[in-house]
Amino acid sequence: MDPAAASSLMEVSGGSSDGGFTSVSRKKSGGNRKRKLDTGSSMDTSSEPRPCKRPDFPPICGERLMGDKDEMRKVAVPAHRYTPLKENWMKIFAPIVEHLQLQVRFNLKTRNVEIKTCKETTDVGALTKAADFVKAFILGFQVEDALALIRLDDLFLESFEITDVKPLKGDHLSRAIGRIAGKGGKTKFTIENVTRTRIVLADSKVHILGSFQNIKMARTAICNLILGSPPSKVYGNIRAVASRAAERF
């Protein structure tokens, strides 16, 4: 080998003039360093103290929850319910004013029952209860049955039309209404007693008052009657469902 080439090879390889080689230390990769930094930072965050107790907020008084402004609800009254409303006005007026501490009036111009909160109102849900009570009476329920909406919390109103279940017209619609009512109202009374609900048939509309589970049972029975099931089969189904529900609860 040429001496000049050998000397240049030694310079490139970092060797010394005596022919030996020097060991070069390997550089540490940046990824390991970054990984170590990440682990260190995660340990730092985990060492921070965590709150062990839930925040404790003081209860809000009823006056602050009600607000300064008075709220009002309106319930429209159709023409065929004017006379029953006039006859039972004191039965409707007394529980709304005395028990719920609300103000109520019938507006002759707009034909609405207007219910309004006042300073004496303490219950937050009183306005909703009163509006549901008046609405139930306007839909056709008796005042005694509608009063349950004020006394109990787990009662609801549900309305639907017969044509929503099956598109019927003319005599077919009339027969469906007859199957729901039964002879002398027997079928409707049976469904009410078994499911512990109250049902109102107003032309092609059906209104049900009761708890969520009972409304579901009554609605299923009425839908089966609309679809053409015989009343005896419907009676057996709802009695079986009602007995299972009674055993469950």
Side-chain angles (χ1 to χ4, degrees), residues 62-212:
E63 296 177 356
R64 287 182 59 190
L65 199 60
M66 294 293 294
D68 298 333
K69 295 182 180 180
D70 294 333
E71 297 182 7
M72 187 173 66
R73 296 281 181 89
K74 297 179 181 180
V75 181
V77 182
H80 67 280
R81 296 298 293 174
Y82 290 159
T83 304
L85 182 67
K86 185 178 179 180
E87 293 174 353
N88 297 279
W89 178 250
M90 288 310 299
K91 295 180 181 179
I92 297 171
F93 177 86
I96 293 176
V97 175
E98 295 176 3
H99 297 286
L100 298 178
Q101 306 295 327
L102 296 169
Q103 297 176 351
V104 61
R105 72 173 184 178
F106 179 66
N107 195 329
L108 293 173
K109 292 183 179 180
T110 60
R111 306 289 178 90
N112 291 331
V113 176
E114 298 177 354
I115 308 166
K116 187 179 179 183
T117 59
C118 57
K119 294 180 179 179
E120 288 78 14
T121 308
T122 55
D123 188 6
V124 180
L127 193 62
T128 304
K129 289 180 180 179
D132 290 342
F133 166 58
V134 176
K135 184 180 178 182
F137 176 77
I138 297 302
L139 290 177
F141 292 96
Q142 297 293 327
V143 180
E144 293 75 13
D145 297 333
L147 269 173
L149 288 166
I150 294 179
R151 297 173 179 171
L152 302 174
D153 292 332
D154 57 345
L155 292 184
F156 306 95
L157 274 172
E158 182 167 344
S159 302
F160 64 93
E161 291 197 16
I162 294 175
T163 53
D164 294 339
V165 181
K166 189 176 182 181
L168 300 173
K169 294 180 182 179
D171 294 339
H172 299 287
L173 181 60
S174 302
R175 281 193 289 270
I177 297 171
R179 282 198 301 273
I180 297 171
K183 187 177 180 180
K186 179 183 176 183
T187 305
K188 184 174 78 75
F189 293 148
T190 304
I191 296 174
E192 285 180 341
N193 292 332
V194 174
T195 60
R196 297 180 183 179
T197 56
R198 288 292 178 265
I199 300 170
V200 169
L201 282 172
D203 197 14
S204 63
K205 293 184 179 180
V206 180
H207 309 291
I208 307 174
L209 169 66
S211 63
F212 178 79

Side-chain angles (χ1 to χ4, degrees), residues 210-223:
S211 63
F212 178 79
Q213 193 70 23
N214 294 340
I215 286 175
K216 184 179 178 182
M217 288 190 291
R219 186 179 64 235
T220 303
I222 292 172
C223 291

